[in-house]
Amino acid sequence: EARGFQQDFKNLMFATALALLLVFFVMGVLFESFLLPLSVLFSIPHAFFGSILLLWILRIPLDMVGLLGVLMLVGIVVNNAIVLVDCVNRLRLEGMERSEAIVRSVEVRFRPIWMTALTTIFGLVPLLIFPPSGDGMDYRALAVVLVGGLTTSTFFTLFVVPLFYSLLDDLQRWTVAMFRAHFASPPA
């Protein structure tokens, strides 16, 4: 039984890593950049932190159902960050400066991001409140992972994603400028 659990754990960790990779590549194609999607991925560690913290506070062990929640969390958490980064990019295409576009995007997307997060969180509360009856499956670890992760990642998405968006945009601009300068200079 212990070997089976270890194998299932390895499979879920592989699936989580594959999910992160696929999410990164899809965002890279959609954003036409492979640096800016990293700003979205920086919201995921906050989700893991929130999940672990809430599991610890409620003294609920992380089981296989909870690990499935971790896998689901990767897909759910990035949605808020994608909405924010997409809004910034659209505003910049309309001619707005980066810092102004970031501030405006947070203002415009704050309410929809929190509304979708809160509806998901409150939809999971019954799984937290009502323990399983008898021999039914215990979904509390799944609910705790999703509630804790979604709460912290939503909060930090509004601060961390804009910060890393700015830093990675600067890095992208610097890299392009260095690349152009290197290949534009005449050979000696």
Side-chain angles (χ1 to χ4, degrees):
E1 189 174 322
R3 276 195 303 262
F5 181 80
Q6 286 177 340
Q7 185 60 39
D8 289 343
F9 181 78
K10 286 179 186 176
N11 290 342
L12 275 172
M13 290 300 104
F14 176 74
T16 302
L18 184 61
L20 284 168
L21 191 64
L22 291 172
V23 165
F24 174 75
F25 281 121
V26 168
M27 286 188 301
V29 170
L30 294 176
F31 290 148
E32 298 175 357
S33 166
F34 283 103
L35 276 179
L36 294 181
L38 290 175
S39 63
V40 171
L41 294 180
F42 280 112
S43 62
I44 294 174
H46 300 98
F48 292 153
F49 171 74
S51 297
I52 292 167
L53 181 64
L54 194 57
L55 283 167
W56 179 76
I57 289 170
L58 297 178
R59 307 258 190 263
I60 295 176
L62 182 62
D63 57 9
M64 289 309 293
V65 177
L67 288 173
L68 284 173
V70 170
L71 182 60
M72 293 169 57
L73 199 57
V74 170
I76 294 171
V77 163
V78 297
N79 290 336
N80 293 335
I82 289 171
V83 166
L84 192 61
V85 169
D86 182 58
C87 187
V88 171
N89 286 340
R90 279 190 286 115
L91 291 174
R92 289 181 73 189
L93 284 174
E94 293 173 5
M96 199 176 283
E97 288 294 319
R98 182 183 69 197
S99 57
E100 185 182 350
I102 289 172
V103 170
R104 182 72 181 134
S105 294
V106 171
E107 288 173 356
V108 169
R109 294 293 169 207
F110 177 82
R111 188 167 183 250
I113 286 172
W114 273 106
M115 284 173 55
T116 57
L118 288 175
T119 55
T120 305
I121 290 167
F122 286 127
L124 291 166
V125 166
L127 290 176
L128 289 172
I129 295 174
F130 302 112
S133 59
D135 30 320
M137 268 190 101
D138 188 0
Y139 292 103
R140 286 181 300 167
L142 172 86
V144 168
V145 165
L146 292 174
V147 167
L150 194 54
T151 301
T152 56
S153 72
T154 301
F155 177 75
F156 284 107
T157 292
L158 297 169
F159 300 105
V160 173
V161 171
L163 170 68
F164 280 102
Y165 180 93
S166 296
L167 293 173
L168 292 169
D169 186 52
D170 287 342
L171 178 64
Q172 184 174 356
R173 287 180 182 192
W174 178 81
T175 305
V176 169
M178 294 302 289
F179 184 77
R180 286 184 180 154
H182 177 71
F183 287 105
S185 62

